[in-house]
Amino acid sequence: MAGCNICLDKSCDGEQQLPEVERFIISADSWNRDRAIVPCKVRFAFNNVVGDSFEMCTVQCLRYNVSVLKRSSKTFLKGDWSLFVDHHDLKSGDNVLMTEYNNQFFSGTSFTLRMSEITDDEMKRLLSIVKWSKRWTMTPLVHRLTTTDAERFALKLKKSLIDKLNLEPAVTIQFKVYGGEPCDGHDVRYKIMTDGRALCQWKEVVEDHGFAVGQLMVCAAVMYEDDLVVIVWKV
């Protein structure tokens, strides 16, 4: 099969005036490390909902700022596309499935608001951590520790996370800090604040594991020996 001479997709039947598209595949012939080409058959719908950039979040919970270059006959994806290829070790012959929701491509995680930008090295470590994602009971939270978290030992967990955990108003929850292998847990006292967040007094966790201001961490709830546990990774 010769394939389309514009987008290089062997299954492409040419540009179609589709009003919307839920998902599409960027075929192995339509991308390289520097850019990807949106298939002609979905280009009209894609161009209508995406501007000059969009945020792509992978099933491994990592986010990429992808720039969009719209030409008269082709639409290219560039920007962080090259990082996406590198981080996921894409090889010749690999296809990429894109799923569209409300003008964004996403799946996966929750990030703390107003958090400083994640560096390339942090992204690589984060990717190795989130390969655990199939074991997580709920959406993981990526958070950069503040002075309040690391020096005042008061970690405030988001209301959306607390609602999903269905925690009692005031009791303890077990934290486990991972460095590859399970470690002993810490029983952390918390209380639910008036704004719905949980204030966790986790001084022992900070001191035992050397958490510091600016440290990036991932926390997620898992079932561990029939108990709900908050697992924490240092990134």
Side-chain angles (χ1 to χ4, degrees):
M1 187 179 296
C4 178
N5 61 5
I6 296 177
C7 69
L8 310 179
D9 187 337
K10 288 185 171 63
S11 67
C12 183
D13 299 320
E15 189 159 336
Q16 303 172 30
Q17 302 292 303
L18 299 175
E20 60 182 26
V21 59
E22 292 185 357
R23 61 181 59 197
F24 62 89
I25 291 176
I26 295 177
S27 73
D29 298 306
S30 299
W31 67 268
N32 59 33
R33 185 184 177 278
D34 297 321
R35 57 94 182 116
I37 305 174
V38 175
C40 296
K41 59 188 175 184
V42 300
R43 195 173 83 96
F44 177 81
F46 180 87
N47 285 354
N48 280 342
V49 297
V50 175
D52 59 5
S53 66
F54 66 91
E55 183 178 78
M56 180 172 70
C57 184
T58 71
V59 293
Q60 288 85 9
C61 311
L62 297 182
R63 302 189 297 184
Y64 299 88
N65 292 318
V66 178
S67 57
V68 179
L69 187 60
K70 300 176 183 178
R71 295 301 191 218
S72 59
S73 61
K74 293 183 184 181
T75 297
F76 296 95
L77 307 183
K78 304 188 79 172
D80 281 356
W81 174 264
S82 58
L83 288 177
F84 166 72
V85 171
D86 290 345
H87 290 168
H88 293 79
D89 196 25
L90 295 188
K91 296 289 192 296
S92 176
D94 289 339
N95 295 326
V96 179
L97 174 64
M98 307 286 281
T99 306
E100 184 178 329
Y101 296 101
N102 297 328
N103 303 350
Q104 289 186 314
F105 291 79
F106 72 94
S107 174
T109 194
S110 174
F111 287 74
T112 302
L113 294 175
R114 297 181 296 279
M115 185 175 70
S116 60
E117 185 175 353
I118 296 174
T119 67
D120 288 345
D121 286 343
E122 288 174 331
M123 281 286 254
K124 292 175 183 176
R125 295 194 296 270
L126 185 57
L127 178 60
S128 68
I129 291 169
V130 298
K131 289 178 181 178
W132 285 67
S133 60
K134 291 183 180 179
R135 297 183 53 188
W136 293 343
T137 307
M138 55 166 289
T139 300
L141 172 67
V142 179
H143 175 63
R144 194 178 297 283
L145 296 180
T146 66
T147 300
T148 300
D149 301 325
E151 296 182 358
R152 300 175 187 169
F153 312 117
L155 177 66
K156 297 177 182 178
L157 298 179
K158 296 173 61 173
K159 181 180 184 299
S160 58
L161 185 150
I162 300 308
D163 290 343
K164 292 176 182 176
L165 291 177
N166 195 27
L167 296 179
E168 297 294 330
V171 68
T172 63
I173 188 169
Q174 190 170 86
F175 276 58
K176 284 181 177 289
V177 179
Y178 270 61
E181 295 295 331
C183 67
D184 293 335
H186 299 270
D187 289 324
V188 174
R189 294 197 63 81
Y190 71 86
K191 66 178 181 180
I192 305 297
M193 303 167 62
T194 56
D195 62 5
R197 291 182 296 171
L199 178 61
C200 301
Q201 302 294 335
W202 70 325
K203 180 177 180 179
E204 182 179 296
V205 179
V206 172
E207 292 181 339
D208 284 1
H209 298 281
F211 282 107
V213 175
Q215 173 75 54
L216 195 67
M217 74 172 193
V218 180
C219 61
V222 301
M223 294 304 298
Y224 188 83
E225 297 180 353
D226 297 325
D227 291 322
L228 185 65
V229 177
V230 175
I231 303 294
V232 179
W233 284 265
K234 295 172 69 175
V235 178

